[in-house]
Each structure stands twice: as structure tokens, then as C-alpha cells.
Amino acid sequence: MSIRIKQNTCIGCSSCVEVCPGNLIKLNSEKKAHIKHERDCWGCTSCVKACPVQAISFFLGADIGGRGAELTVTTKGSVRTWTVTKRDGTVQNIVVDGSVSNKY
């Protein structure tokens, strides 16, 4: 399990640095998010959820049934959309409204 950081998309806001429980993400000399060894990622997805520009994706490897898909997250108000992009280009969105997610 690991994350992937798109340097060309990163805006250097450091939101991911602040939420990483393993203190693994740092800003490099260009003020872009960077993880030295992706294999050290714990897989918590905190940084994926915190990134405001979807510069960080979570790699869903074959070991967890993802077969190379990538997961990104967008948030608008209480609605969080989890987007899974598969290797063949197909996209699946999972929409969760936090205001009613614990209703039952």
C-alpha cells in the first residue's frame, strides 16, 4: 500500500504534512509534498482526504484487490466523493454524505 504524489499538481499547502500520522510526508526544496520511501506509507489515507487539489492518490495494489487502481477524494461541504480509477481507465465514484452517514 502506498500513496502517489503528483508534483505538478501539488500546491505546497502542507495539509498532508500536518495529517500524516507517521510524519512521512515532507515539503521538498520546491515546496512540494514528497515522501522519501512510498513503501513506508501506512495506508491510512489521511493525506489523500486532506489534499485540496487531489495531488495525492492511494495506490490500490493487487495485494488488496485493487489490481493497480488509484483512489482520490474530493470534499464539498459534508459530501465526500471517493473516486476509484482503474487501470483500464474506468472510473467508479462512491459518494458519502457525512451529515447522514451515522443516521442509522
Side-chain angles (χ1 to χ4, degrees):
M1 294 184 289
S2 67
I3 59 167
R4 296 201 173 147
I5 302 173
K6 298 177 199 114
Q7 296 290 305
N8 59 340
T9 306
C10 178
I11 59 173
C13 70
S14 76
S15 292
C16 56
V17 175
E18 295 169 16
V19 300
C20 180
N23 198 28
L24 302 171
I25 303 173
K26 309 286 184 194
L27 294 184
N28 63 19
S29 60
E30 298 172 354
K31 303 290 185 209
K32 302 284 185 169
H34 171 76
I35 183 168
K36 187 171 185 178
H37 300 289
E38 292 177 348
R39 68 181 179 271
D40 292 339
C41 173
W42 300 359
C44 73
T45 70
S46 292
C47 59
V48 177
K49 293 182 280 187
C51 182
V53 294
Q54 294 78 50
I56 304 175
S57 59
F58 184 68
F59 180 70
L60 302 169
D63 58 331
I64 58 171
R67 297 189 177 135
E70 289 193 21
L71 173 76
T72 56
V73 181
T74 56
T75 304
K76 290 185 182 176
S78 65
V79 177
R80 185 167 280 162
T81 303
W82 299 78
T83 302
V84 178
T85 305
K86 298 178 184 177
R87 287 176 53 188
D88 65 3
T90 59
V91 176
Q92 178 181 2
N93 289 311
I94 302 162
V95 181
V96 178
D97 186 344
S99 67
V100 295
S101 62
N102 292 323
K103 184 177 178 180
Y104 301 101

